[in-house]
Amino acid sequence: MTISIPSITLSNIGPLLTLTVAGLLLLLMDALTPKGKKGYFPYLSLIALVIAAVQTTMLWNRSGTDFARMIYVDNFAFFFYLIFLLATGLTILISIKYLEDYHRNLEEYYTLLIFATIGMMLMAAGGHLILIFLGLEILSIAIYILAGLFREDVKSNEAALKYLILGAFSSAFLLFGMAMLYGATGSLFLDDLAQAIKAGVGTNPLLLFGMGLLIVGFGFKVSSVPFHMWTPDVYEGAPTSVTAFMSVGTKAAAFAALVRIFFLVFPEIKMEWNMLLWGLAVATMTLGNVVAIAQTNIKRMLAYSSIAHAGYLLVALVAANQLGAISFLYYLVAYTLMNLGAFAIVILVARKKDDYINIYDYCGLGFQYPALAAAMSVFMFALAGIPPTAGFVGKFYVFSAAVEAGYIWLAIIGVMNSLISVFYYLRITVLMYMRPAEADLGPVTMTPAISSAVLVTAAGVLAIGVFPGPLYELALNSVKIFVGL
Amino acid sequence: MQVLFLILAAVALISGVLVVIQVNPVRSALYLILNFFTVAGIYLLAHAEFIAAIQVIVYAGAIMVLFLFVIMLLNLRQPEEGGEKQHLAQKISGAALAGVTALLVIYTCTRINLGPAKEMVPGFGSTEAVARSLFTDYLLPFEVTSVLLLVALIGAVILARARLD
């Protein structure tokens, strides 16, 4: 018997291969390196990420599919590759000191982060629902483990178990939805699905049912209301560096898959889904922002804030026009920078062993550590959407996209939500500068790695806020792959 | 064929529910074996002989033996009486939600006209056909699965290994 293997260009999945090799190499070196000499592992992972980023930029402007149409090779995927690599790199920088404080500087931690990045990339580039699902599972399993990394800590255990059980449940919804789509169209390739819907199975109840289940499955991963219940508990219990990674990485990856599916497969039946997502967006923004006001634990506050930001991103998805898609990509970059920056400060202020994560522990920080407080203020201003930060430009694009698409009320509700969010973000700034410290909490120890992470994120938030042009062009370049945008 | 499918599906569903509601873990595991066998039967009806065989060998055989070993090694205590009523509200709302979902699925199924099934390719479902698609069209997902398994493996080692430092 003969098997004709389809033609394959390995360089098309170059970044994925680099990361896989790096992950395996780290595991091997872990076994061969004597104890106490493993301090360079995180930097090795960073080098692998940089190589993958360089490979991605070299692939830029390629288009098409590879591996028998399994994976997309296009700028949309590459844009997300870069977001993921940036998020993972920053996470590694803020993890080193944190894990050392806990005596948990495990080499497997970095391997798992790298494998999670591979999963995210597959979700952004997958051209077949099975591949998207596999990517999601790689990402999720890695994060279930990372969330439970502090085995002696009850909260960390709770976070891992909660996320595992609910995550498995949501994966089942997702798979069930994919099965329904297969039943309706007879294929799991995104291209074929799009073709079949164009050819007129759009009103098939089976298809709509499948689409609804996909929204449930991905809605869980991006923590949109009403699938957000797990978010505060998991974000609070997981190690802070893992929380930072989850809040940015999982969300970006699930949104990447969601946007590709909705813009590529379902634009023909937009009427069926835009009102549904409209409702989800409004509920997500409002609940996230209103409940965040009541939080005094900064990790829980940032958890609700991340729910609210998922709502803003859903607004861009509802708009479903060119500006919507661009604003979506822009907002994700901005969110990655400002959220990871905020978590870096949370790790620093917590000092050793997470003792100080109440918002009142930030009192007087502005006098003791002016630079730290200034950076935190930048992130809080950005998350609230105040110019001249990236958060403002992102929200401006998102809401203009909604207005352009005719969703005036959605934009109004979104702006009102931003106003609510100003209260709880700026409360941190007020506490830092206008209240004296309540007690001496001990010195904040800065290390070069985490300082550079703070510096990069703060500078990035301001840079793309003042000069949004280049990033806008890049995003425009990436969304051109969708027909009609 | 249709009758056979309905019987198998009914047994699969009932045993699935029993897995969840049994208090004794050994009984749950035994019902799970029954569930795996009925699902294998459904695969056979769909002409997927290879998958059916794998289902029996891997799931009903290997994995279940491991399950039972673990359950017996852990030597779980019998749960105390009276713990039943605690989760009554959850049970009722869960059942209600499942009922609503079932109605939705049934409603959807009555409203669709499934087209004629695709012509079956000769050799469909055989080991050879599965292997062929794994190494041609599904090459990338096949390789990606190995990464997935590796991640799970690393996780098991991290979470289960002896206390550190």
Side-chain angles (χ1 to χ4, degrees), chain A residues 11 79 108 110 155 246 260 266 281 304 313 353 396-397 403:
Chain A
S11 69
F79 193 96
E108 291 93 339
Y110 303 102
K155 276 193 169 172
M246 278 168 80
R260 194 190 280 279
F266 295 131
Y304 281 105
L313 285 161
K353 300 232 167 188
F396 177 74
Y397 285 153
V403 171

Side-chain angles (χ1 to χ4, degrees), chain B residues 1-160:
Chain B
M1 284 292 254
Q2 186 112 36
V3 179
L4 210 54
F5 170 76
L6 287 176
I7 295 171
L8 283 172
V11 175
L13 281 178
I14 293 168
S15 60
V17 171
L18 284 170
V19 173
V20 181
I21 63 172
Q22 282 296 320
V23 180
N24 187 331
V26 178
R27 279 193 204 160
S28 279
L30 291 176
Y31 280 116
L32 196 57
I33 298 181
L34 180 62
N35 183 280
F36 285 151
F37 271 109
T38 48
V39 173
I42 294 174
Y43 288 149
L44 266 185
L45 286 182
H47 290 280
E49 292 97 8
F50 177 70
I51 305 290
I54 290 294
Q55 168 86 6
V56 171
I57 297 168
V58 175
Y59 282 90
I63 291 184
M64 283 318 297
V65 171
L66 272 181
F67 259 27
L68 285 173
F69 259 126
V70 172
I71 291 170
M72 287 168 182
L73 281 177
L74 286 180
N75 196 15
L76 296 171
R77 284 180 298 120
Q78 284 292 326
E80 286 128 41
E81 292 297 316
E84 294 279 303
K85 279 186 185 161
Q86 264 182 338
H87 305 293
L88 196 65
Q90 283 177 355
K91 278 179 187 164
I92 292 171
S93 47
L97 262 178
V100 171
T101 316
L103 283 178
L104 200 70
V105 175
I106 292 167
Y107 175 72
T108 314
C109 289
T110 54
R111 283 196 45 199
I112 44 171
N113 320 313
L114 289 172
K118 272 188 192 163
E119 198 79 7
M120 206 168 71
V121 198
F124 173 85
S126 64
T127 314
E128 191 187 324
V130 172
R132 189 185 289 272
S133 57
L134 273 187
F135 284 102
T136 56
D137 289 349
Y138 287 81
L139 181 63
L140 187 61
F142 181 58
E143 297 297 338
V144 165
T145 312
S146 61
V147 177
L148 177 63
L149 294 176
L150 182 64
V151 170
L153 210 70
I154 300 169
V157 172
I158 291 185
L159 293 182

